[in-house]
């Protein structure tokens, strides 16, 4: 039996998968890092959530864990590529097949479903029986950075990966919709860990913005893990009573601080 064609196919899938995952991760994390931590940092001084930046050794640890996460994704990509040949996934290439309205709706639908999946998977990983094996690695970043986005244990990487192929079994998705969803995912992930509150001060009273999770929302989750499990939206945390009781107060502190009082105010929240 000649294994060369299969081996070639696996290597080919691995290269394509690695390029895709590495570019997506770099766009999100490096993009947010350069934009927020380098370019805009002087302007955002009063929006910095913690008093200190994370040490370089934490970022190094996050990059190593993120590389491992990308390799897990690539390994799963290889399986998915093969599985896709059976026609089991409902991905389509011709927009006219389902129309533009569906294309747009499918993006929103995927984000809402992903938020639900994330909330419950995330909350489950905080269960004492799963936490150490699945989620402790992510929480080793007590003071997160944009690179915390993919700082996962192997088990968590598999859980995070599983959402898209599972949805593709049931929901027809155009390639462009899938790409947009994947990009929104990584940018939202990196922004949620960036350590600067970027949302406007009136977010909590704005009829649309108040439904979105802010940077403070997820930053508080890293600071004290017992709540704020949501990803895009605040709905599940509100419905299930898991929003941190002082979230709104902390958000207002992070958006109302004056530059000269940054140090004294931040000192209060230093953890
Ligand atoms: Zn968590
Ligand atoms: Zn996190």
């Amino acid at each position: 039996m000649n294994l060369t064609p299969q081996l070639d196919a696996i290597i080919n899938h691995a290269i394509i998968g690695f390029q895709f995952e590495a570019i997506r991760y770099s766009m999100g994390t490096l993009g947010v890092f350069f934009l927020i931590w380098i370019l805009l940092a002087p302007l955002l001084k009063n929006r910095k959530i913690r008093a200190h930046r994370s040490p370089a050794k934490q970022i190094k640890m996050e990059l190593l864990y993120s590389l491992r996460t990308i390799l897990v994704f690539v390994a799963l990509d290889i399986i998915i590529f093969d599985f896709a040949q059976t026609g089991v996934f409902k991905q389509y290439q011709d927009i006219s097949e389902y129309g533009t309205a569906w294309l747009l709706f499918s993006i929103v639908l995927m984000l809402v479903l992903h938020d639900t999946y994330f909330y419950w998977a995330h909350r489950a990983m905080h269960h004492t029986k799963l936490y150490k094996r699945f989620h402790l690695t992510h929480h080793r970043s007590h003071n997160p950075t944009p690179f915390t986005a993919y700082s996962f244990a192997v088990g968590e990487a598999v859980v995070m990966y599983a959402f898209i192929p599972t949805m593709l079994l049931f929901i027809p998705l155009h390639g462009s919709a899938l790409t947009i969803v994947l990009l929104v995912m990584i940018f939202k992930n990196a922004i949620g860990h960036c350590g600067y509150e970027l949302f406007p001060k009136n977010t909590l009273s704005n009829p649309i913005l108040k439904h979105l999770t802010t940077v403070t929302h997820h930053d508080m989750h890293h600071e004290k893990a017992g709540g704020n499990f949501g990803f895009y939206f605040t709905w599940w945390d509100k419905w299930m009573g898991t929003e941190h009781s002082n979230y709104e107060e902390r958000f207002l502190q992070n958006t109302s601080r004056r530059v000269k009082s940054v140090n004294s105010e931040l000192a209060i929240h230093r953890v």
Side-chain angles (χ1 to χ4, degrees):
M1 186 174 154
N2 184 7
L3 284 177
T4 311
Q6 283 104 320
L7 197 60
D8 281 350
I10 289 172
I11 291 170
N12 208 22
H13 289 340
I15 292 170
I16 294 170
F18 186 79
Q19 284 174 338
F20 180 77
E21 301 294 355
I23 289 171
R24 192 167 74 90
Y25 173 78
S26 303
M27 279 174 71
T29 59
L30 286 175
V32 170
F33 176 78
F34 281 115
L35 186 67
I36 307 297
W37 281 42
I38 308 285
L39 283 179
L40 298 178
L43 296 173
L44 291 170
K45 259 192 246 171
N46 57 338
R47 291 299 194 100
K48 181 127 180 35
I49 295 173
R50 313 284 185 103
H52 300 292
R53 281 193 172 175
S54 310
K57 69 174 183 185
Q58 179 189 317
I59 294 178
K60 194 174 154 193
M61 171 193 81
E62 291 170 347
L63 288 171
L64 285 172
Y65 283 136
S66 298
L67 176 62
R68 185 177 67 181
T69 295
I70 288 170
L71 293 176
V72 170
F73 287 178
V74 171
L76 295 167
D77 277 344
I78 292 169
I79 297 167
I80 291 299
F81 277 127
D82 267 359
F83 205 46
Q85 305 305 315
T86 65
V88 72
F89 294 129
K90 295 186 181 297
Q91 193 174 342
Y92 63 95
Q93 298 306 329
D94 186 355
I95 291 178
S96 63
E97 217 178 308
Y98 290 89
T100 312
W102 170 256
L103 179 81
L104 299 173
F105 178 73
S106 67
I107 294 170
V108 177
L109 178 66
M110 285 293 282
L111 296 178
V112 171
L113 290 174
H114 182 230
D115 183 68
T116 301
Y117 177 86
F118 183 90
Y119 176 88
W120 288 105
H122 185 193
R123 203 170 155 185
M125 287 190 292
H126 273 270
H127 190 279
T128 44
K129 289 204 167 132
L130 300 176
Y131 183 73
K132 246 186 177 173
R133 181 166 297 210
F134 282 84
H135 199 42
L136 174 64
T137 303
H138 188 65
H139 278 277
R140 288 182 69 180
S141 300
H142 191 61
N143 180 7
T145 79
F147 306 104
T148 311
Y150 271 6
S151 190
F152 295 149
V154 171
E156 179 164 8
V158 173
V159 171
M160 291 300 144
Y161 184 94
F163 172 74
I164 294 285
T166 304
M167 289 301 106
L168 279 173
L169 293 173
F170 308 101
I171 299 173
L173 264 190
H174 186 261
S176 63
L178 181 57
T179 304
I180 290 170
V181 169
L182 288 169
L183 287 175
V184 171
M185 268 184 194
I186 188 63
F187 274 100
K188 169 61 183 165
N189 200 339
I191 288 170
H193 293 102
C194 79
Y196 291 84
E197 186 47 75
L198 305 176
F199 279 72
K201 191 180 172 183
N202 70 345
T203 294
L204 302 178
S205 56
N206 182 287
I208 295 171
L209 294 179
K210 70 178 183 184
H211 298 294
L212 303 178
T213 54
T214 62
V215 182
T216 301
H217 194 274
H218 194 66
D219 197 279
M220 286 183 77
H221 178 72
H222 277 264
E223 180 193 326
K224 40 180 184 173
N228 292 10
F229 297 105
F231 191 62
Y232 299 111
F233 308 110
T234 53
W235 304 327
W236 280 109
D237 278 303
K238 286 198 190 297
W239 290 335
M240 303 312 293
T242 52
E243 187 174 272
H244 279 303
S245 56
N246 58 342
Y247 161 59
E248 296 195 353
E249 181 194 335
R250 291 288 290 275
F251 175 80
L252 291 174
Q253 283 169 351
N254 289 334
T255 51
S256 312
R257 199 179 291 121
R258 289 182 181 190
V259 177
K260 64 181 184 184
S261 64
V262 162
N263 290 336
S264 56
E265 286 203 32
L266 283 173
I268 296 168
H269 307 302
R270 190 174 300 156
V271 289

